[in-house]
Amino acid sequence: MEIGRDDAEGAVLAHLPDGRHLRLGRDAAALLAGLDGSRTREEVLVQWAAVVGEQRALELLTRFDALGLLDLPGLPMSASDRRVSYRKPMSLQLTLLRPERFTGRLQALGRVLTRQPVPLLYAVLLAGGAGAGLVGRGSLVRAVSEPVPLHITVILSAAVIAVSVLHEFGHAIALAYFGGRPRRMGVMLFYLAPAFFCDVSDGWRLAAPRHRALVALSGVIVNVGVAAASAIAGVLSTGDAATFWWLLTVANLLVTAFNLVPFVKLDGYLALMAMVDVPFLRQRAMADARGWLGRVFFGSACPAKRLDRAWSVPFGLCALAFPVLLVGAVLAQVLTAVLPWGAVGAVLSLVVVLLGAGCLLYGAGRFAGSAMCSRSPRAGTPRRLLGVIVLVAAVVVPLAAVQVEVSATGGYIATKGRTVLVLPDEGRARGLRPGDHVLLKSVGLFRSPVVATATVDSGPSGRATVATAALGPIKDLPGRTEGTRYPLRNISDSSGMPLSGTGYATVATGRTSLAEWLFRTHLLAPLRTLSD
């Protein structure tokens, strides 16, 4: 470990054994520099408490311990040397490349890319892409709203992966250009979702916040440039080629928007942390948010704010909530994908649901326990019980009061002026009645617009098969799906043309509470599969 000199803002840079960097106050840096391996943890705590106080000493000791700087018997392999490493809060990383070996080449490439006329050409590219998007907006909407051939989906997936690699190299080039060293690149599970990564923690060595922010944003600069070039290519192309370019445009814009979300450790957060010039910004804001929640609900003692900003608590609340929503969305996709696998899928679904619920309960219990242990005079037993009741009500009331529309999904077949609905799963067809409203849709990769509406004419009229491709966004998938047939009437097509072919259909079968919907969808459905 190396303790650097003070930077322009008075902070001290500490170079950690795993390649990361900490920006510390002078007191914390002096305490860290005094660690020589000759004292126990308790002796260090006593010495530090005399300098910075007992609470702050314990916080520093806990943080340094978590970073692996204390009590390292046997000198275990550092994170930078391991191919697989875990980074909090939820990132499992597999290192595939160590770009620090060719930092000089990356730095030279950065000098080329920042030299005129390259920046000017990039600005012209963005303007051209914006104009192309306006000119070809109709083609763009059709591309994202209609099923696409399988080969286009495969090529698009490969292109998105290639651009993701360029995104990470954008970070590496920017960091090398400003004088840092990108240490690791590879793949990771980020909040259970697969992604690429580039370790730019060396960026904290850069004194200028603007440079650190540019390193953080250099990845999305690549995505925006690719989106602009793809939009121009979409205007100049026809047929499947145009569809591919428009889909690549939208995919890169969505990646850019997601990466700019500042509530998880993505590019937007790193850029915000650089511009605010406060290390551990998210952790500090979340600590302030937890303190505010404890004070409001349990009358806990008001701790000193860790982040001296007016928006600290709102930002911290969003940072607490967004990962839960993100993991929930990923788990919902996983459950949808594995449930059709029969008994194996049902078991996996139950495991995922129980683990997710257990993590939520553990987090809530841990927060409530720490808040209720407050020594504040206001935090008496009645106040604590009231806080528990309010928190429970905040969860139970929405689960019981929020109504969710229940729908059956399937496909439709329109031939010779007659349209029928085919529901693949008879169990989901229970409760379908004549007069129920049906939405006939076109399923695209990014959008599923309604192309017509209809009503159920009568009860089941036998069995039928519908092309499996009609149920998803890939139009030439092989196979057919069998299901129950329902005649439809009152077909209302927004285009005024007779409906033909096949497509996706949803039928609203009623409304239920959010709690019942969650129970039936994610718990009862796999249990029924196991019992069949």
Side-chain angles (χ1 to χ4, degrees), residues 225-249:
V226 172
S230 300
I232 295 172
V235 169
L236 300 177
S237 305
T238 58
D240 287 348
T243 299
F244 164 77
W245 289 117
W246 288 122
L247 290 174
L248 187 59
T249 299

Side-chain angles (χ1 to χ4, degrees), residues 234-522:
V235 169
L236 300 177
S237 305
T238 58
D240 287 348
T243 299
F244 164 77
W245 289 117
W246 288 122
L247 290 174
L248 187 59
T249 299
V250 174
N252 277 279
L253 292 177
L254 291 176
V255 169
T256 298
F258 180 71
N259 269 279
L260 291 178
V261 173
F263 306 122
V264 288
K265 292 184 177 180
L266 293 171
D267 299 348
Y269 166 70
L270 296 177
L272 175 64
M273 184 169 57
M275 295 307 297
V276 176
D277 200 25
V278 175
F280 304 107
L281 174 67
R282 183 171 175 270
Q283 293 93 318
R284 295 183 180 191
M286 290 193 298
D288 290 344
R290 284 190 288 265
W292 179 83
L293 289 172
R295 184 175 71 254
V296 169
F297 288 104
F298 300 105
S300 303
C302 181
K305 289 192 67 174
R306 302 289 300 277
L307 178 61
D308 188 19
R309 295 292 190 278
W311 43 266
S312 174
V313 171
F315 182 85
L317 292 174
C318 293
L320 289 170
F322 189 83
V324 177
L325 299 177
L326 179 60
V327 172
V330 173
L331 291 181
Q333 295 296 321
V334 171
L335 293 173
T336 302
V338 304
L339 189 56
W341 296 357
V344 174
V347 171
L348 290 175
S349 297
L350 290 174
V351 170
V352 168
V353 169
L354 294 177
L355 283 177
C359 290
L360 283 176
L361 291 174
Y362 172 77
R366 186 177 178 183
F367 162 71
S370 62
M372 292 179 69
C373 289
S374 168
R375 299 178 181 178
S376 171
R378 298 186 303 161
T381 301
R383 177 66 182 269
R384 293 172 181 172
L385 291 177
L386 178 61
V388 172
I389 293 173
V390 172
L391 282 179
V392 171
V395 175
V396 173
V397 171
L399 288 175
V402 173
Q403 295 292 299
V404 178
E405 186 175 86
V406 181
S407 61
T409 60
Y412 70 86
I413 305 173
T415 56
K416 299 179 181 180
R418 186 175 180 222
T419 304
V420 296
L421 170 70
V422 179
L423 294 180
D425 186 357
E426 285 184 320
R428 297 175 71 177
R430 294 171 186 170
L432 208 62
R433 301 180 300 273
D436 281 344
H437 189 61
V438 183
L439 299 179
L440 309 181
K441 300 181 178 181
S442 172
V443 185
L445 288 176
F446 300 111
R447 187 169 176 262
S448 299
V450 176
V451 297
T453 60
T455 54
V456 177
D457 187 31
S458 62
S461 61
R463 305 286 291 175
T465 62
V466 63
T468 302
L471 306 178
I474 303 175
K475 65 182 179 182
D476 52 359
L477 285 178
R480 300 188 67 83
T481 300
E482 184 179 4
T484 305
R485 181 175 60 195
Y486 290 82
L488 300 179
R489 57 182 170 85
N490 298 334
I491 311 298
S492 177
D493 186 358
S494 57
S495 66
M497 301 295 292
L499 198 64
S500 62
T502 61
Y504 184 71
T506 62
V507 189
T509 59
R511 300 180 69 84
T512 187
S513 67
L514 177 60
E516 183 177 357
W517 179 81
L518 290 172
F519 173 74
R520 290 182 177 275
T521 304
H522 298 307

Side-chain angles (χ1 to χ4, degrees), residues 66-190:
L67 291 170
L69 303 180
L70 308 178
D71 298 330
L72 297 175
L75 296 177
M77 184 181 297
S78 68
S80 61
D81 295 325
R82 294 194 297 265
R83 291 186 64 87
V84 179
S85 58
Y86 175 77
R87 300 300 177 109
K88 293 182 178 181
M90 286 186 66
S91 176
L92 183 63
Q93 301 177 347
L94 171 63
T95 300
L96 301 177
L97 180 66
R98 300 187 183 277
E100 63 178 340
R101 300 173 181 174
F102 44 90
T103 299
R105 297 180 183 179
L106 294 174
Q107 191 176 49
L109 182 57
R111 286 194 293 267
V112 171
L113 294 176
T114 55
R115 188 181 303 145
Q116 291 293 355
V118 176
L120 178 61
L121 292 177
Y122 182 80
V124 172
L125 176 66
L126 296 187
L134 291 175
V135 172
R137 59 186 180 277
S139 299
L140 185 151
V141 171
R142 285 193 297 274
V144 301
S145 305
E146 297 176 352
V148 298
L150 178 60
H151 72 277
I152 293 294
T153 307
V154 173
I155 297 173
L156 178 65
S157 300
V160 170
I161 292 174
V163 175
S164 298
V165 174
L166 292 177
H167 173 111
E168 302 306 331
F169 269 102
H171 292 303
I173 292 170
L175 179 58
Y177 173 74
F178 288 120
R181 291 182 298 172
R183 298 185 175 276
R184 300 180 303 120
M185 298 178 68
V187 295
M188 65 177 176
L189 285 177
F190 183 75

